[in-house]
């Protein structure tokens, strides 16, 4: 049940502590450096989901034309599917002692893990940008109502910069500081969101029917909504190892780690998504900006809580994204330190944000981006989940072969690539992109199920079948 003991050349990483800059990167963390617990992992992913991103996804479902209860069913199904998809990967980090993308070399090969690094970078950068956008917009709207501050492009640009600066600062400190921050975010933001249900209750009719479905019918629109909700836990798949690698596989069982992660993911997505769907029903004349509508229609006493959610909730998700992107880039460029790669990826995320908000339509681009990335990351997660179930021990030395400039070893396979895993991911991801059905992009295979979006389920199923079959011919 435990990872293979590494050789003497893998030195102990210094323990990280709150307020100190973490010096460890993606190198192997020995047993004595495993100072975290399943409870910390649950808190991290619960807090990371209590953000405007998931709130807006909940509101999107209403804007797509679903009724409240139709939205709830798509929310429960999508969140449950996404959470179950990533649960098996919770065991990887404690056994490999490194992050998820480096660990993926055990299944994709030492060079094949570059696929995971690329996907993880894309996911982290995209969601970091979305987090800054949603939190910044909420701050501007609140300042406009409370202080009559101007609601201009300049104001939005400044708000984005402030939120981004806070995110980068915490991400630079690293693991221990992030965990401590999430333990504050969970009770504070969770309580404020629950209070929000009472703030808007007098203006909401949850029995109101839906209609005017954005994809022309109930089932395609419901499926689009479910895929969006599944995207939240799945998108965190590459970052799970950032936190589970610091948990001892000797002191904690797989079950405890999995239960903590699953609870954090599911509850974390459901609470803000329900909040978004519930409050969206309170807007009699909704505009293109849910967050503007939220502040405008909010009771005066709830505007300050909106500000607090914007800052704390934005930090909780954005910090995870920036921290993860720094680790993933370090895995690709071993000569750079984690702090350096974190600054680089943060700068890229901010550029993506400004382009997405000021050049493209935010709502449509965010929806389409999320679905497309989900179609690519889901088959990768499916392969990791199968690999995690089949594998009980890993070789931490050989997993670090790329960083050390070595060739060969247990995970070299065919020139550094596990052909079966790569082919499985390519086929699954290709189907996923071709089957996507959004308001901005409709894939050529989107109509194979009457318009129902099969990009997530189909891509995972194809990748899983091809990978399992390949294992009969290629030793994994």
């Amino acid at each position: 049940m435990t990872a293979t003991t590494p050789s003497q050349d893998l030195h102990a990483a210094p323990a990280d502590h709150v307020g100190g800059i973490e010096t460890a990167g993606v190198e192997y963390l020995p047993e004595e450096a495993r100072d975290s617990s399943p409870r910390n992992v649950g808190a991290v992913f619960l807090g990371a989901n209590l953000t405007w991103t998931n709130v807006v996804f909940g509101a999107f479902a209403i804007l797509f034309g679903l009724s409240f209860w139709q939205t709830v069913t798509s929310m429960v199904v999508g969140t449950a599917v996404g959470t179950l998809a990533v649960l098996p990967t919770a065991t990887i980090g404690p056994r490999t002692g490194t992050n998820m993308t480096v660990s993926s070399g055990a299944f994709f090969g030492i060079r094949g893990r570059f696929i995971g690094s690329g996907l993880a970078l894309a996911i982290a950068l995209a969601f970091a940008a979305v987090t800054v956008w949603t939190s910044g917009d909420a701050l501007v709207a609140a300042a406009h109502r409370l202080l009559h501050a101007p609601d201009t492009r300049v104001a939005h640009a400044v708000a984005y910069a402030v939120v981004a600066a806070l995110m980068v600062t915490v991400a630079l400190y690293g693991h221990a500081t992030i965990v401590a921050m999430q333990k504050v975010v969970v009770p504070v933001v969770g309580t404020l969101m629950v209070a929000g249900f009472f703030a808007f209750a007098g203006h909401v009719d949850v029995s109101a029917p839906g209609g005017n479905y954005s994809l022309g019918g109930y089932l395609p629109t419901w499926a689009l909504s479910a895929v969006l909700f599944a995207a939240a836990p799945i998108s965190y798949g590459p970052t799970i190892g950032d936190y589970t690698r610091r948990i001892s596989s000797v002191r904690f069982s797989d079950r405890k780690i999995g239960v903590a992660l699953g609870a954090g993911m599911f509850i974390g997505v459901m609470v803000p998504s329900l909040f978004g769907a519930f409050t969206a029903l309170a807007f009699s004349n909704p505009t293109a900006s849910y967050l503007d509508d939220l502040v405008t229609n909010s009771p005066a006493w709830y505007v300050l809580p909106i500000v607090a959610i914007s800052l704390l909730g934005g930090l909780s998700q954005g910090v995870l994204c920036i921290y993860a992107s720094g680790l993933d880039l370090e895995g690709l460029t071993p000569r750079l330190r984690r702090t350096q790669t974190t600054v680089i990826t943060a700068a890229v995320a901010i550029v993506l944000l400004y382009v997405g908000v000021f050049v493209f339509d935010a709502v449509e681009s965010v929806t389409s981006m999320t679905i497309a990335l989900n179609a690519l990351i889901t088959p990768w997660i499916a392969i990791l989940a199968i690999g995690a179930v089949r594998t009980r021990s890993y070789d931490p030395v050989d997993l670090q072969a790329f960083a050390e400039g070595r060739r060969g070893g247990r995970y070299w396979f065919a020139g550094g690539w596990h052909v079966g895993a790569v082919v499985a991911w390519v086929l699954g991801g290709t189907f996923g992109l071709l089957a996507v059905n959004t308001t901005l992009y409709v894939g050529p295979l989107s109509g194979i199920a009457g318009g129902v979006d099969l990009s997530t389920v189909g891509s995972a199923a194809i990748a899983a079948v091809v990978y399992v079959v390949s294992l009969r011919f290629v030793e994994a």
Side-chain angles (χ1 to χ4, degrees):
M1 296 293 287
T2 60
T4 303
T5 302
S7 61
Q8 295 295 324
D9 60 336
L10 291 179
H11 301 293
D16 66 324
H17 58 276
V18 179
I21 294 180
E22 180 186 12
T23 57
V26 295
E27 67 270 19
Y28 173 78
L29 291 176
E31 182 66 27
E32 55 268 28
R34 313 282 186 89
D35 53 2
S36 191
S37 67
R39 181 176 297 180
N40 285 346
V41 170
V44 164
F45 289 100
L46 175 54
N49 279 299
L50 295 176
T51 181
W52 289 128
T53 305
N54 286 324
V55 173
V56 169
F57 283 173
F60 279 178
I62 298 297
L63 297 177
F64 291 160
L66 296 180
S67 70
F68 179 75
W69 294 113
Q70 289 170 342
T71 295
V72 170
T73 59
S74 70
M75 192 183 300
V76 171
V77 172
T79 305
V81 169
T83 300
L84 290 173
V86 300
L87 275 189
T89 67
T91 65
I92 297 176
R95 294 175 182 171
T96 63
T98 187
N99 76 332
M100 198 67 80
T101 53
V102 173
S103 299
S104 72
F107 315 115
F108 283 86
I110 293 303
R111 291 174 173 168
R113 76 174 179 83
F114 297 159
I115 294 173
S117 294
L119 290 172
L121 271 171
I123 287 281
L125 292 174
F127 275 86
V130 170
T131 301
V132 174
W133 160 54
T134 52
S135 295
D137 279 4
L139 287 177
V140 171
H144 179 68
R145 177 168 174 181
L146 291 175
L147 306 174
H148 303 291
D151 187 348
T152 63
R153 285 184 168 234
V154 173
H156 283 267
V158 171
Y160 299 150
V162 170
V163 174
L166 291 172
M167 282 169 33
V168 175
T169 300
V170 178
L172 284 172
Y173 278 104
H175 174 268
T177 303
I178 293 173
V179 171
M181 180 198 70
Q182 299 291 20
K183 290 181 178 180
V184 174
V185 168
V186 169
V188 174
V189 176
T191 299
L192 293 178
M193 283 191 177
V194 171
F197 285 92
F198 294 97
F200 288 88
H203 304 281
V204 173
D205 178 11
V206 295
S207 63
N212 299 318
Y213 300 117
S214 61
L215 294 184
Y218 164 65
L219 278 179
T221 305
W222 184 93
L224 170 62
S225 176
V227 170
L228 269 179
F229 293 124
I234 290 175
S235 67
Y236 282 116
T239 70
I240 291 172
D242 297 353
Y243 302 91
T244 58
R245 68 186 178 134
R246 287 192 171 274
I247 299 177
S248 169
S249 59
V250 175
R251 292 185 289 117
F252 298 102
S253 67
D254 293 347
R255 182 176 179 275
K256 285 185 177 179
I257 300 172
V259 168
L261 174 66
M265 285 286 196
F266 187 81
I267 297 172
V269 175
M270 286 295 297
V271 171
S273 298
L274 282 169
F275 176 87
F278 186 82
T279 53
L281 291 172
F283 310 153
S284 55
N285 295 299
T287 67
S289 173
Y290 162 82
L291 292 166
D292 283 346
D293 293 337
L294 180 72
V295 174
T296 300
N297 291 275
S298 170
W301 66 266
Y302 195 66
V303 176
L304 283 179
I306 290 176
V307 173
I309 295 173
S310 300
L311 290 174
L312 292 177
L315 278 175
S316 65
Q317 183 181 58
V319 164
L320 257 70
C321 294
I322 295 298
Y323 178 71
S325 64
L327 286 174
D328 290 321
L329 183 57
E330 187 210 3
L332 293 173
T333 56
R335 293 185 179 181
L336 296 178
R337 302 180 65 178
R338 182 192 67 83
T339 50
Q340 295 170 317
T341 55
T342 298
V343 172
I344 292 171
T345 55
V348 174
I350 294 170
V351 170
L352 289 175
L353 159 72
Y354 285 107
V355 171
V357 172
F358 295 126
V359 178
F360 300 103
D361 178 87
V363 173
E364 290 194 343
S365 62
V366 167
T367 303
S368 299
M369 172 204 70
T370 302
I371 300 298
L373 287 176
N374 207 42
L376 292 175
I377 199 68
T378 301
W380 185 80
I381 291 293
I383 293 169
L384 258 66
I386 293 171
V389 171
R390 297 180 68 252
T391 308
R392 284 292 178 266
S393 66
Y394 300 80
D395 189 326
V397 176
D398 283 348
L399 281 175
Q400 298 292 336
F402 174 75
E404 298 170 1
R406 292 188 287 108
R407 299 165 65 90
R410 179 176 173 182
Y411 307 118
W412 189 247
F413 301 121
W417 303 83
H418 188 288
V419 177
V422 174
V423 170
W425 173 75
V426 170
L427 293 178
T430 299
F431 172 84
L433 290 178
L434 294 177
V436 163
N437 187 5
T438 71
T439 55
L440 190 63
Y441 166 72
V442 178
L445 297 181
S446 61
I448 61 175
V452 175
D453 192 320
L454 294 181
S455 60
T456 297
V457 175
S459 64
I462 290 173
V465 170
V466 173
Y467 180 57
V468 169
V469 170
S470 77
L471 293 177
R472 300 186 61 181
F473 305 97
V474 181
E475 185 178 358

